[in-house]
Amino acid sequence: NQKEFDSYKDYSVTLEGDTVKVSNNTILANKLGTTLITFTSQNQKQTVEVNVLSISPTLKLPDEITLSKNETYEISPKISPIYYTGQAKITLEEEGHILTITDLSIKAEQSGTSEIKVYLNETLIKTIKITVEYEDEIVLTFSSNADMIGNTIYSKDDILMFKTNILNEEPKLYTTEGKISKELTTIILKDFTNATITITYSSLNLSVEFVVIKV
């Protein structure tokens, strides 16, 4: 940091210490510690004690951020105090898998909730809650040999495997025939020939029903 001062006369400077430098009308902090500066001008003399302190910066950041899918948000932290000139390396780390992080930019890739941990000079200073808004419908993506026409799924395999577009939210699953379960992000239906399955996300007030036919 540096401090400017007013002087109306020529003066000479004597330093007792090496923690600051004086140039023209500016005192520049050089390293931590204390220095006595004596200003002498004709018959006037003034001694100033300058303490160079270690200043810890802080960041002003939001507590929560809500995004739409595919929306990009730039983290723009405000560093305090405004006169801080030291190192301020900011890094982001996600607690989840719904975002893409590039430097201080985050992009919403999937619906769901997550957290961003913000580090300043490798010290955790903030956790921001991230919400990516859900789509208002349930969309199925098949990883198995199946076709969907309307609300009917025609499966050519004995096991139907698929995913929904909603992540980080556990659905309630029901089938009129066979066994249905969720493993990680994949929903699996076994032992069926003609079943009706129901997928419900209670907290999102979303529900859908499909007929599954083994062909």
Side-chain angles (χ1 to χ4, degrees), residues 12-199:
S12 61
V13 175
T14 302
L15 302 180
E16 296 180 37
D18 61 353
T19 66
V20 299
K21 295 179 180 180
V22 179
S23 177
N24 297 325
N25 285 18
T26 302
I27 301 172
L28 177 65
N30 186 38
K31 61 182 181 180
L32 300 182
T34 301
T35 292
L36 295 179
I37 308 175
T38 300
F39 299 90
T40 304
S41 176
Q42 296 180 356
N43 62 342
Q44 298 182 37
K45 181 183 293 187
Q46 182 178 358
T47 298
V48 178
E49 179 180 296
V50 180
N51 297 302
V52 181
L53 306 176
S54 176
I55 301 173
S56 298
T58 58
L59 300 182
K60 185 177 181 180
L61 295 165
D63 295 323
E64 298 184 14
I65 298 172
T66 299
L67 303 173
S68 299
K69 188 177 178 182
N70 296 322
E71 183 180 357
T72 298
Y73 183 92
E74 189 77 20
I75 300 289
S76 301
K78 294 183 179 180
I79 300 178
S80 299
I82 59 174
Y83 51 79
Y84 178 76
T85 58
Q87 180 183 7
K89 181 182 178 182
I90 302 168
T91 54
L92 307 179
E93 180 181 291
E94 184 193 3
E95 291 288 304
H97 304 285
I98 67 172
L99 306 172
T100 297
I101 299 176
T102 305
D103 297 326
L104 297 183
S105 177
I106 62 175
K107 181 180 180 182
E109 299 287 357
Q110 298 287 347
S111 301
T113 58
S114 186
E115 288 183 339
I116 289 287
K117 293 187 180 296
V118 183
Y119 293 86
L120 175 60
N121 300 334
E122 300 183 354
T123 299
L124 176 63
I125 61 164
K126 183 82 173 184
T127 299
I128 304 173
K129 181 181 177 181
I130 307 292
T131 301
V132 180
E133 294 178 338
Y134 297 95
E135 297 181 12
D136 58 0
E137 61 179 351
I138 300 174
V139 179
L140 305 187
T141 302
F142 297 99
S143 57
S144 56
N145 192 8
D147 295 311
M148 184 172 172
I149 302 176
N151 271 23
T152 302
I153 303 169
Y154 299 92
S155 176
K156 299 176 184 178
D157 297 330
D158 294 330
I159 299 176
L160 177 67
M161 302 176 64
F162 60 94
K163 297 181 179 181
T164 74
N165 60 315
I166 301 172
L167 300 180
N168 297 339
E169 190 76 26
E170 289 296 326
K172 292 182 179 179
L173 305 173
Y174 174 76
T175 179
T176 58
E177 182 185 331
K179 299 177 181 178
I180 191 168
S181 61
K182 184 171 182 289
E183 296 182 9
L184 298 178
T185 59
T186 302
I187 298 174
I188 301 172
L189 178 65
K190 298 179 180 179
D191 303 330
F192 67 94
T193 54
N194 191 338
T196 298
I197 61 174
T198 304
I199 305 171

